[in-house]
Amino acid sequence: MTNIQFAKRLQPLKSNVFADMDRAKAIALAAGREVIDLSLGSSDLPAEAHVIEAIAQSLHDRSTHGYLLFNGTQGFREAAANWYEQKFGIKVDPQTEVLPLIGSQEGTAHLPLAILNPGDFALLLDPGYPSHAGGVYLASGQIYPMPLLAENGFLPVFADIPAPVLAQSRMMVLSYPHNPTAAIAPLSFFQEAVAFCQQHNLVLVHDFPYVDLVFQESREWADSSPNSKSLVPSILQADPEKSVSIEFFTLSKSYNMGGFRIGYAIGNAQLINALRQVKAAVDFNQYRGILNGAIAALTGPQSGVKSAVNTFQGRRDAFISALHCIGWNVPTPEATMYIWAKLPSPWSENSVEFCTQLVKQTGVAVSPGAGFGKSGEGYVRFALVHEPPLLEIAVERMAEFLH
């Protein structure tokens, strides 16, 4: 067999604990166990009827069946810009400051190709979303992990970044409300981040998929966000001139459109143009009908968003209550669809083994904290993607496993 030589940039991508978890789930299924999968953050709720109707109507329009270039996305870009202006009070130019994406993950993974030269550093949250690291590795960059600790509210401490690393750094990636810790950040934190990035000539990237999945206990956060209808701030409220910042939004969470793969980047015009250049070399835009559905989501009734938030809040309350009943005292998160739980002894330093054994023995699948970064070790993430009765059964099974 021919000895094929692969690029060195693939080496860091080989280790994937989520692939290990998939294998463990397959073993449990083969053994006849009923799997309750709380490992994947994919909403089980449906997209709204008016969104589906907009897509369905597009299917019968033959003009939607061809390639879709940038100019053909103007309607979607205008809807995105208007959505941002209404939600955050920020003026956005749909021509130069918005770029459609195949989900925010595509954007966060491709942007490093436009910013990093080989060997440059990216400052990433640890724990953090795996595609943030994947994009840096594909760009042959280096990663400096910013540890997120409970005592700091799972916010990074910028003063702890070594000066030699800063001298080689070109970008910082933040994401609040945060996956996996479910932490939220105030506007003052983002203002500090913007000032830090301006001082050190860094591009500031904010991945913002959970903007709407914030629960009512967090309403006081709105007070720190002038002119905003959101309970949590946009990075662009801390950088209204869009001097160093770009933000990524997806319709996967707010509008239950994960499988439709639709999101957008919004922010600094130079960064938008650079990402557009990378994207032009990789793909066209997705089917126009999906963009029509996204326009319907952004401009139509928002009652479905509120309903989804209420659903996840009910699931959160039921799951936390069940955990407390079995003696697993986990803080109640204020946002996202996740529970970030510190593992009890004897699993406190082996989240992967806990998760693989749990699914094999009980059929309950969860995500190991180590899969999100070194600082995630000792935790697990539960995704609230089932109704409360099934979540409570999952906790009952975990109680048997733990005792």
Side-chain angles (χ1 to χ4, degrees):
M1 183 176 176
T2 304
N3 184 21
I4 300 173
Q5 299 295 312
F6 290 99
K8 292 178 181 178
R9 68 176 60 90
L10 289 184
Q11 291 298 321
L13 304 180
K14 286 185 175 180
S15 177
N16 188 330
V17 297
F18 299 106
D20 296 339
M21 282 304 302
D22 272 345
R23 285 189 285 272
K25 283 186 279 187
I27 292 171
L29 286 168
R33 294 200 179 279
E34 177 199 10
V35 171
I36 302 177
D37 195 347
L38 309 180
S39 67
L40 188 62
S42 178
S43 176
D44 59 312
L45 304 178
E48 290 292 291
H50 66 280
V51 172
I52 301 300
E53 180 61 22
I55 297 172
Q57 290 298 321
S58 301
L59 292 171
H60 302 287
D61 178 359
R62 61 186 295 176
S63 71
T64 69
H65 296 180
Y67 290 128
L68 181 61
L69 301 180
F70 180 78
N71 286 337
T73 68
Q74 184 172 340
F76 173 72
R77 286 182 279 114
E78 289 174 349
N82 289 337
W83 186 89
Y84 249 77
E85 183 172 346
Q86 291 169 14
K87 199 171 190 71
F88 299 110
I90 297 168
K91 286 282 188 183
V92 176
D93 183 346
Q95 190 65 25
T96 61
E97 296 178 338
V98 183
L99 183 68
L101 297 170
I102 306 172
S104 63
Q105 178 168 327
E106 182 227 330
T108 57
H110 279 154
L111 185 63
L113 292 169
I115 296 173
L116 301 179
N117 288 313
D120 287 345
F121 270 98
L123 310 174
L124 304 187
L125 301 180
D126 175 21
Y129 190 60
S131 79
H132 298 165
V136 175
Y137 288 134
L138 289 175
S140 298
Q142 299 186 75
I143 290 171
Y144 179 80
M146 299 184 291
L148 305 185
L149 306 178
E151 53 262 39
N152 297 325
F154 296 111
L155 299 176
V157 179
F158 302 139
D160 290 346
I161 302 169
V165 171
L166 268 178
Q168 285 184 259
S169 297
R170 298 293 176 264
M171 63 186 291
M172 175 190 288
V173 181
L174 301 175
S175 183
Y176 291 95
H178 184 242
N179 175 16
T181 69
I184 54 180
L187 183 60
S188 58
F189 168 78
F190 288 120
Q191 290 167 334
E192 179 189 355
V194 168
F196 184 86
C197 289
Q198 289 172 335
Q199 178 185 352
H200 296 284
N201 197 27
L202 302 173
V203 170
L204 181 51
V205 180
H206 188 227
D207 198 6
F208 204 24
Y210 300 99
V211 52
D212 291 309
L213 288 188
V214 183
F215 308 122
Q216 287 305 306
E217 302 96 315
S218 303
R219 60 165 58 93
E220 65 270 17
W221 290 76
D223 297 336
S224 67
S225 306
N227 304 318
S228 179
K229 295 180 181 178
S230 173
L231 292 175
V232 288
S234 159
I235 197 71
L236 301 182
Q237 290 175 279
D239 186 13
E241 289 80 31
K242 310 179 187 77
S243 63
V244 294
S245 304
I246 185 171
E247 191 156 68
F248 292 94
F249 177 72
T250 174
L251 281 77
S252 297
K253 312 303 181 183
S254 299
Y255 298 99
N256 305 313
M257 294 179 69
F260 296 93
R261 309 311 305 135
I262 176 65
Y264 56 86
I266 196 162
N268 178 278
Q270 290 177 292
L271 293 173
I272 291 292
N273 186 61
L275 182 55
R276 181 181 167 188
Q277 288 177 280
V278 173
K279 184 174 172 64
V282 175
D283 60 53
F284 290 101
N285 294 286
Q286 58 273 73
Y287 171 55
R288 188 190 296 271
I290 291 175
L291 267 67
N292 290 341
I295 292 169
L298 293 172
T299 62
Q302 300 297 297
S303 55
V305 178
K306 183 177 180 180
S307 176
V309 173
N310 290 338
T311 294
F312 283 111
Q313 183 167 351
R315 293 177 180 183
R316 177 205 64 176
D317 293 344
F319 194 74
I320 289 287
S321 177
L323 287 177
H324 288 180
C325 285
I326 68 169
W328 195 344
N329 292 316
V330 175
T332 302
E334 295 179 281
T336 78
M337 56 172 65
Y338 307 114
I339 306 293
W340 186 240
K342 195 168 183 61
L343 280 168
S345 179
W347 306 98
S348 55
E349 293 300 324
N350 201 338
S351 59
V352 174
E353 184 66 15
F354 172 85
C355 292
T356 52
Q357 290 302 318
L358 179 69
V359 71
K360 286 178 183 177
Q361 296 183 35
T362 71
V364 177
V366 302
S367 292
F372 299 95
K374 182 180 178 182
S375 295
E377 183 56 279
Y379 289 83
V380 290
R381 189 197 74 177
F382 302 101
L384 303 174
V385 292
H386 295 289
E387 293 298 331
L390 200 55
L391 294 175
E392 289 164 355
I393 291 171
V395 174
E396 290 172 8
R397 293 188 190 178
M398 287 192 289
E400 295 174 9
F401 176 79
L402 292 168
H403 299 102

